[in-house]
Amino acid sequence: MEEEKPEFSNGRVLLVEDDFVNGKIISRLLEMDNIPTHWVKNGREALDFCQENKECVLMVFMDLQMPIIDGYQATVALRKNGFNRPIIAMTANAFSDDHVKSAEAGMDDFIMKPVSKMELFMMVEKWMKRERKK
Ligand SMILES: [Mg+2]
């Protein structure tokens, strides 16, 4: 069963979330599944982190509503800079066009908040598998 698990080696998941409680919970849930996680608080910090740690960001969980640089702007900028790893949008707003707008901005998938441990893990597994097949 060992090879069924996502492989990380030096890589990590980047969590971009401005809300302290959500960030704390989501990073904790990921780490409970042994998924190495780095948490930043807005799009500006995400861009800086990806710039400085190009190879080690394997995928991104991106909140949409954030101060300074929001999730849409951050994604557009990341894609423009050549970042081609999976970016998963996170939204709390079920009845919006967030999923359309996030896809337009260059995000690959979409998850509803509050997220469950299972949903997070399945999302990581789904996208890490695709990355490995590339
Ligand atoms: Mg937010």
Side-chain angles (χ1 to χ4, degrees), residues 7 11 93:
E7 289 159 30
N93 192 349

Side-chain angles (χ1 to χ4, degrees), residues 47 50-51 54 74-84:
L47 289 173
C50 287
Q51 186 78 35
K54 261 194 189 83
T75 301
V76 169
L78 283 172
R79 295 308 190 206
K80 209 173 157 188
N81 295 344
F83 182 84
N84 59 7

